[in-house]
Amino acid sequence: VGRFDPSIGKLDWSMGTGQERTHMVYVTNDAKKAYTTNYNAGTVSILTDTLLPPQFAGGQPRRDWTQTVVEVSKGVEGFDISPDGRQLWTASAGDGTISVIDLATKKLAFVIDAKALGANRLQFTPDGKRVLVSSLRIGDLFVIDVASRKELKRINIGHGAAGILVEANGSRAFVGCTPDNYVAVVDLKKLEVIGHIDVGPGPDGLAWAHRR
């Protein structure tokens, strides 16, 4: 994991995870924690900016980053933090399960057999009541109810589903459909596809941009 300082155009910090194929990354707003999934290792890394006491810091207290590794399932990739900051949900492309980590204890809390084979990305809705999981293998968007941990609906959006964005008001989701060269627009109230945006070859990751 590396940190880039745009003012000097260089990396000013990096840390190895010791895990195989570290991929996705999420940083908290205060920049004190970073989370990554490690695809081949089947683990999640929790990196924490920590004040080490003198006995662990050569006689003087100092700040450093520490890592906690949580074993989940191989093929783990897309993940998100719940809006209340209490849980990390991540989906495995290999066996289609969703692993849920309690962030207070930094331990695996439970596993959901979602059968989301080929899971690529996972995203909470803003109210924290639902989780969306895209499958690059079968082209479905899985809608999971957080409270019951059950599938509400499986929406086919094309031949392969990747990046997910959800509007702040929770009304629509946008999903990159890599093989189909479009972004699918999903109504999250009706739970159905209501349109497509043609964007050219291979749409995958999505992000909001604000014009000034």
Side-chain angles (χ1 to χ4, degrees), residues 50-112:
T50 306
L51 180 62
L52 298 176
Q55 61 268 35
F56 298 111
Q60 295 293 329
R62 63 178 173 83
R63 301 207 69 85
D64 205 348
W65 286 80
T66 59
Q67 176 181 213
T68 302
V69 177
V70 182
E71 187 173 345
V72 284
S73 181
K74 289 189 182 298
V76 62
E77 188 172 5
F79 75 98
D80 197 13
I81 308 296
S82 60
D84 62 12
R86 295 179 179 178
Q87 295 179 331
L88 183 154
W89 286 48
T90 184
S92 166
D95 60 12
T97 59
I98 296 173
S99 297
V100 179
I101 296 171
D102 183 303
L103 292 178
T105 62
K106 299 180 181 179
K107 293 182 179 180
L108 182 66
F110 55 87
V111 177
I112 302 170

Coordinates of all heavy atoms in Angstrom, one line a residue, residues 50-112:
T50 N -0.8 3.9 14.6 CA -0.8 3.6 16.0 C 0.4 4.3 16.7 O 1.5 4.4 16.2 CB -0.6 2.0 16.2 OG1 -1.6 1.4 15.4 CG2 -0.7 1.6 17.6
L51 N 0.1 4.7 17.9 CA 1.1 5.3 18.8 C 1.7 4.1 19.6 O 1.0 3.5 20.5 CB 0.6 6.3 19.8 CG 1.6 6.9 20.7 CD1 2.7 7.7 20.0 CD2 0.9 7.9 21.7
L52 N 2.9 3.7 19.3 CA 3.5 2.6 19.9 C 4.1 3.0 21.3 O 4.8 4.1 21.4 CB 4.6 2.0 19.0 CG 4.2 1.4 17.7 CD1 5.4 1.0 16.9 CD2 3.2 0.3 17.9
P53 N 3.9 2.2 22.4 CA 4.5 2.6 23.7 C 6.0 2.4 23.7 O 6.6 1.7 22.8 CB 3.8 1.6 24.6 CG 3.4 0.5 23.7 CD 3.1 1.0 22.4
P54 N 6.7 2.9 24.6 CA 8.2 2.9 24.6 C 8.8 1.5 24.5 O 9.8 1.3 23.8 CB 8.6 3.5 26.0 CG 7.4 4.4 26.3 CD 6.2 3.7 25.7
Q55 N 8.2 0.5 25.2 CA 8.7 -0.8 25.2 C 8.7 -1.5 23.8 O 9.4 -2.5 23.5 CB 8.0 -1.7 26.2 CG 6.5 -1.9 26.0 CD 5.7 -0.9 26.7 OE1 6.1 0.2 26.9 NE2 4.5 -1.4 27.2
F56 N 7.9 -1.0 22.9 CA 7.8 -1.5 21.5 C 8.4 -0.5 20.5 O 8.3 -0.8 19.3 CB 6.3 -1.8 21.2 CG 5.7 -2.9 22.0 CD1 4.7 -2.5 22.9 CD2 6.1 -4.2 22.0 CE1 4.1 -3.5 23.7 CE2 5.6 -5.2 22.8 CZ 4.6 -4.8 23.7
A57 N 9.0 0.6 21.0 CA 9.4 1.6 20.0 C 10.8 2.0 20.4 O 11.2 3.2 20.2 CB 8.5 2.8 20.1
G58 N 11.7 1.1 20.9 CA 13.1 1.5 21.1 C 13.3 2.5 22.2 O 14.3 3.2 22.2
G59 N 12.4 2.5 23.2 CA 12.6 3.3 24.4 C 11.9 4.7 24.4 O 11.7 5.3 25.4
Q60 N 11.4 5.1 23.2 CA 10.7 6.3 23.0 C 9.3 6.0 22.3 O 9.4 5.3 21.3 CB 11.5 7.4 22.2 CG 12.7 7.8 22.9 CD 12.4 8.6 24.2 OE1 11.4 9.3 24.3 NE2 13.3 8.6 25.2
P61 N 8.2 6.6 22.8 CA 7.0 6.4 22.0 C 7.1 7.0 20.6 O 7.6 8.1 20.5 CB 5.9 7.1 22.9 CG 6.7 8.0 23.7 CD 8.1 7.4 23.9
R62 N 6.5 6.3 19.7 CA 6.5 6.8 18.3 C 5.3 6.3 17.5 O 4.8 5.3 17.9 CB 7.8 6.5 17.6 CG 8.0 5.0 17.3 CD 9.3 4.7 16.6 NE 9.6 3.3 16.5 CZ 9.0 2.4 15.6 NH1 8.2 2.9 14.7 NH2 9.4 1.1 15.6
R63 N 5.0 7.0 16.5 CA 3.8 6.6 15.7 C 4.3 5.7 14.5 O 5.4 5.9 13.9 CB 3.1 7.8 15.0 CG 2.6 8.8 16.0 CD 1.4 9.5 15.5 NE 0.2 8.6 15.3 CZ -0.6 8.4 16.3 NH1 -0.5 8.9 17.5 NH2 -1.7 7.6 16.1
D64 N 3.6 4.6 14.3 CA 3.9 3.7 13.2 C 2.6 3.0 12.8 O 1.6 3.1 13.5 CB 4.9 2.7 13.6 CG 5.7 2.2 12.4 OD1 5.3 2.4 11.2 OD2 6.7 1.5 12.6
W65 N 2.7 2.4 11.6 CA 1.5 1.6 11.1 C 1.6 0.2 11.5 O 2.7 -0.4 11.4 CB 1.4 1.8 9.6 CG 0.9 3.1 9.2 CD1 1.6 4.3 9.1 CD2 -0.4 3.5 8.8 NE1 0.9 5.3 8.7 CE2 -0.4 4.9 8.5 CE3 -1.6 2.8 8.7 CZ2 -1.6 5.6 8.1 CZ3 -2.8 3.5 8.3 CH2 -2.7 4.8 8.1
T66 N 0.5 -0.4 12.0 CA 0.5 -1.8 12.4 C -0.6 -2.5 11.5 O -1.5 -1.8 11.0 CB 0.1 -2.0 13.9 OG1 -1.1 -1.4 14.2 CG2 1.2 -1.4 14.8
Q67 N -0.5 -3.8 11.4 CA -1.4 -4.5 10.5 C -2.0 -5.7 11.3 O -1.4 -6.4 12.0 CB -0.6 -5.1 9.3 CG -1.5 -6.0 8.4 CD -0.8 -6.6 7.2 OE1 -1.4 -6.8 6.2 NE2 0.5 -6.9 7.4
T68 N -3.3 -5.8 11.0 CA -4.0 -7.0 11.5 C -4.6 -7.7 10.3 O -5.2 -7.1 9.4 CB -5.2 -6.7 12.4 OG1 -4.8 -5.9 13.5 CG2 -6.0 -7.9 12.9
V69 N -4.3 -9.0 10.1 CA -4.7 -9.8 9.0 C -5.9 -10.7 9.4 O -5.8 -11.5 10.4 CB -3.6 -10.7 8.4 CG1 -4.1 -11.5 7.3 CG2 -2.4 -9.8 7.9
V70 N -7.0 -10.6 8.7 CA -8.2 -11.4 9.0 C -8.4 -12.4 7.8 O -8.5 -12.0 6.7 CB -9.4 -10.6 9.2 CG1 -10.6 -11.4 9.5 CG2 -9.2 -9.5 10.3
E71 N -8.4 -13.7 8.1 CA -8.6 -14.7 7.1 C -10.1 -14.8 6.7 O -11.0 -14.9 7.6 CB -8.2 -16.1 7.6 CG -8.2 -17.1 6.5 CD -7.5 -18.4 6.9 OE1 -6.8 -18.4 7.9 OE2 -7.8 -19.4 6.2
V72 N -10.4 -14.7 5.4 CA -11.8 -14.8 4.9 C -11.9 -15.9 3.9 O -12.0 -17.1 4.3 CB -12.3 -13.4 4.4 CG1 -12.6 -12.5 5.5 CG2 -11.3 -12.8 3.4
S73 N -11.9 -15.6 2.6 CA -12.0 -16.6 1.6 C -11.2 -16.2 0.3 O -11.1 -15.0 0.0 CB -13.5 -16.8 1.2 OG -13.6 -17.8 0.2
K74 N -10.6 -17.2 -0.3 CA -9.8 -16.9 -1.5 C -10.7 -16.3 -2.6 O -11.9 -16.6 -2.8 CB -9.1 -18.2 -2.1 CG -8.0 -18.7 -1.2 CD -7.2 -19.8 -1.8 CE -6.1 -20.3 -0.9 NZ -5.1 -19.2 -0.6
G75 N -10.1 -15.4 -3.4 CA -10.8 -14.6 -4.4 C -11.5 -13.4 -3.8 O -12.4 -12.8 -4.5
V76 N -11.2 -13.0 -2.6 CA -11.9 -11.9 -2.0 C -11.4 -10.6 -2.7 O -10.2 -10.5 -3.0 CB -11.5 -11.8 -0.5 CG1 -10.1 -11.7 -0.2 CG2 -12.3 -10.7 0.2
E77 N -12.3 -9.7 -3.0 CA -11.9 -8.6 -3.8 C -12.7 -7.3 -3.4 O -12.3 -6.6 -2.6 CB -12.1 -8.9 -5.3 CG -11.5 -7.8 -6.2 CD -11.5 -8.2 -7.7 OE1 -12.0 -9.3 -8.0 OE2 -11.0 -7.4 -8.5
G78 N -13.9 -7.2 -4.0 CA -14.7 -6.0 -3.7 C -15.2 -6.0 -2.2 O -15.5 -7.0 -1.7
F79 N -15.2 -4.8 -1.6 CA -15.6 -4.7 -0.2 C -16.1 -3.3 0.1 O -15.8 -2.3 -0.7 CB -14.5 -5.1 0.7 CG -13.4 -4.1 0.9 CD1 -13.4 -3.2 2.0 CD2 -12.3 -4.0 0.0 CE1 -12.3 -2.3 2.1 CE2 -11.3 -3.1 0.1 CZ -11.3 -2.2 1.2
D80 N -16.7 -3.1 1.2 CA -17.2 -1.8 1.6 C -17.3 -1.8 3.1 O -17.5 -2.8 3.8 CB -18.5 -1.4 1.0 CG -18.8 0.1 1.1 OD1 -17.9 0.9 1.4 OD2 -19.9 0.5 0.8
I81 N -17.2 -0.6 3.7 CA -17.4 -0.4 5.2 C -18.9 0.1 5.4 O -19.4 0.9 4.6 CB -16.5 0.7 5.7 CG1 -15.0 0.3 5.4 CG2 -16.6 0.8 7.2 CD1 -14.5 -0.9 5.9
S82 N -19.6 -0.5 6.4 CA -20.9 -0.1 6.6 C -21.0 1.4 7.0 O -20.0 1.9 7.6 CB -21.5 -0.9 7.8 OG -20.8 -0.8 9.0
P83 N -22.1 2.1 6.7 CA -22.1 3.5 7.0 C -21.9 3.9 8.4 O -21.4 5.0 8.7 CB -23.6 3.9 6.5 CG -23.9 2.9 5.4 CD -23.2 1.6 5.9
D84 N -22.2 3.0 9.4 CA -22.0 3.3 10.8 C -20.5 3.0 11.2 O -20.2 3.2 12.4 CB -22.9 2.5 11.7 CG -22.8 1.0 11.5 OD1 -21.9 0.5 10.9 OD2 -23.7 0.3 12.1
G85 N -19.7 2.4 10.3 CA -18.3 2.2 10.5 C -18.0 1.0 11.4 O -16.9 0.7 11.8
R86 N -19.0 0.1 11.6 CA -18.9 -1.0 12.5 C -18.4 -2.3 11.8 O -17.8 -3.2 12.5 CB -20.2 -1.3 13.3 CG -20.5 -0.1 14.2 CD -21.8 -0.4 14.9 NE -22.2 0.6 15.8 CZ -23.3 0.7 16.6 NH1 -24.2 -0.4 16.5 NH2 -23.6 1.7 17.4
Q87 N -18.8 -2.5 10.5 CA -18.5 -3.7 9.9 C -17.8 -3.5 8.5 O -18.1 -2.5 7.9 CB -19.8 -4.5 9.7 CG -20.4 -5.0 11.0 CD -21.7 -5.8 10.7 OE1 -22.4 -5.5 9.7 NE2 -22.0 -6.7 11.6
L88 N -17.1 -4.5 8.1 CA -16.5 -4.6 6.7 C -17.1 -5.8 6.1 O -17.0 -6.9 6.6 CB -15.0 -4.6 6.8 CG -14.2 -4.6 5.5 CD1 -12.8 -4.1 5.7 CD2 -14.1 -6.0 4.8
W89 N -17.8 -5.6 4.9 CA -18.4 -6.7 4.2 C -17.5 -6.8 2.9 O -17.2 -5.9 2.2 CB -19.8 -6.3 3.8 CG -20.8 -6.4 4.9 CD1 -20.7 -5.9 6.1 CD2 -22.1 -7.1 4.8 NE1 -21.8 -6.1 6.9 CE2 -22.7 -6.9 6.1 CE3 -22.8 -7.8 3.9 CZ2 -23.9 -7.4 6.4 CZ3 -24.0 -8.3 4.2 CH2 -24.6 -8.1 5.4
T90 N -17.2 -8.1 2.6 CA -16.4 -8.4 1.4 C -16.9 -9.7 0.7 O -17.2 -10.6 1.4 CB -14.9 -8.4 1.7 OG1 -14.1 -8.6 0.5 CG2 -14.5 -9.5 2.7
A91 N -16.8 -9.7 -0.6 CA -17.4 -10.8 -1.3 C -16.2 -11.6 -2.0 O -15.3 -10.9 -2.5 CB -18.4 -10.4 -2.4
S92 N -16.4 -12.9 -2.1 CA -15.4 -13.7 -2.8 C -15.8 -14.2 -4.1 O -16.9 -14.7 -4.3 CB -15.1 -15.0 -1.9 OG -14.4 -15.9 -2.6
A93 N -15.0 -13.9 -5.1 CA -15.3 -14.3 -6.5 C -15.3 -15.9 -6.6 O -16.0 -16.4 -7.4 CB -14.3 -13.7 -7.5
G94 N -14.5 -16.5 -5.8 CA -14.3 -18.0 -5.9 C -15.5 -18.8 -5.5 O -16.1 -19.6 -6.2
D95 N -16.0 -18.6 -4.2 CA -17.1 -19.4 -3.7 C -18.4 -18.6 -3.6 O -19.4 -19.1 -3.1 CB -16.7 -20.1 -2.4 CG -16.4 -19.1 -1.3 OD1 -16.6 -17.9 -1.5 OD2 -15.9 -19.5 -0.2
G96 N -18.3 -17.3 -3.9 CA -19.6 -16.5 -3.9 C -20.0 -16.1 -2.5 O -21.2 -15.6 -2.3
T97 N -19.2 -16.3 -1.4 CA -19.6 -16.0 -0.1 C -19.3 -14.5 0.2 O -18.5 -13.9 -0.4 CB -18.9 -16.8 0.9 OG1 -17.5 -16.7 0.8 CG2 -19.3 -18.3 0.8
I98 N -20.0 -14.0 1.2 CA -19.8 -12.7 1.8 C -19.3 -12.8 3.2 O -20.0 -13.4 4.0 CB -21.0 -11.8 1.7 CG1 -21.5 -11.5 0.3 CG2 -20.8 -10.5 2.5 CD1 -22.8 -10.8 0.2
S99 N -18.1 -12.3 3.4 CA -17.5 -12.4 4.8 C -17.7 -11.0 5.5 O -17.4 -10.0 4.9 CB -16.0 -12.8 4.7 OG -15.8 -14.0 4.1
V100 N -18.1 -11.1 6.7 CA -18.4 -9.8 7.5 C -17.4 -9.8 8.7 O -17.4 -10.7 9.5 CB -19.8 -9.8 7.9 CG1 -20.1 -8.5 8.7 CG2 -20.8 -9.8 6.7
I101 N -16.7 -8.7 8.7 CA -15.7 -8.5 9.8 C -16.2 -7.4 10.8 O -16.6 -6.4 10.4 CB -14.3 -8.1 9.2 CG1 -13.7 -9.2 8.3 CG2 -13.3 -7.7 10.3 CD1 -12.5 -8.8 7.6
D102 N -16.1 -7.8 12.1 CA -16.4 -6.8 13.1 C -15.2 -5.9 13.3 O -14.1 -6.4 13.7 CB -16.8 -7.5 14.4 CG -17.2 -6.6 15.5 OD1 -16.4 -5.7 15.9 OD2 -18.3 -6.7 16.1
L103 N -15.3 -4.6 13.0 CA -14.1 -3.8 13.0 C -13.7 -3.4 14.5 O -12.6 -2.9 14.7 CB -14.4 -2.5 12.2 CG -14.5 -2.8 10.7 CD1 -14.8 -1.5 9.9 CD2 -13.3 -3.5 10.2
A104 N -14.6 -3.5 15.4 CA -14.2 -3.3 16.8 C -13.2 -4.3 17.3 O -12.2 -4.1 18.0 CB -15.4 -3.2 17.7
T105 N -13.5 -5.6 17.0 CA -12.7 -6.7 17.5 C -11.7 -7.1 16.4 O -10.7 -7.9 16.7 CB -13.6 -7.9 17.8 OG1 -14.3 -8.4 16.6 CG2 -14.6 -7.6 18.9
K106 N -11.8 -6.7 15.2 CA -11.0 -7.0 14.0 C -11.0 -8.5 13.8 O -9.9 -9.2 13.6 CB -9.5 -6.5 14.3 CG -9.4 -5.0 14.4 CD -8.0 -4.6 14.6 CE -7.9 -3.1 14.7 NZ -6.5 -2.6 14.9
K107 N -12.2 -9.1 13.9 CA -12.3 -10.6 13.7 C -13.5 -10.8 12.8 O -14.4 -10.0 12.7 CB -12.5 -11.3 15.1 CG -11.3 -11.2 16.0 CD -11.6 -12.0 17.3 CE -10.4 -11.9 18.2 NZ -10.6 -12.7 19.5
L108 N -13.5 -12.0 12.2 CA -14.6 -12.4 11.3 C -15.8 -12.7 12.2 O -15.8 -13.4 13.1 CB -14.2 -13.7 10.5 CG -15.2 -14.3 9.6 CD1 -15.4 -13.3 8.4 CD2 -14.8 -15.7 9.1
A109 N -16.9 -12.0 11.8 CA -18.1 -12.1 12.6 C -19.0 -13.3 12.1 O -19.5 -14.1 12.8 CB -18.9 -10.8 12.6
F110 N -19.3 -13.3 10.8 CA -20.1 -14.3 10.2 C -19.9 -14.3 8.7 O -19.3 -13.4 8.1 CB -21.6 -14.2 10.5 CG -22.2 -12.8 10.1 CD1 -22.7 -12.6 8.9 CD2 -22.2 -11.8 11.1 CE1 -23.2 -11.3 8.6 CE2 -22.7 -10.5 10.8 CZ -23.3 -10.3 9.5
V111 N -20.3 -15.4 8.0 CA -20.2 -15.6 6.6 C -21.6 -15.8 6.0 O -22.4 -16.6 6.5 CB -19.3 -16.7 6.2 CG1 -19.2 -17.0 4.7 CG2 -17.9 -16.5 6.8
I112 N -21.9 -15.2 4.9 CA -23.2 -15.4 4.2 C -22.9 -16.1 2.9 O -22.1 -15.7 2.1 CB -23.8 -14.0 3.8 CG1 -24.1 -13.2 5.1 CG2 -25.1 -14.2 3.1 CD1 -24.5 -11.7 4.8

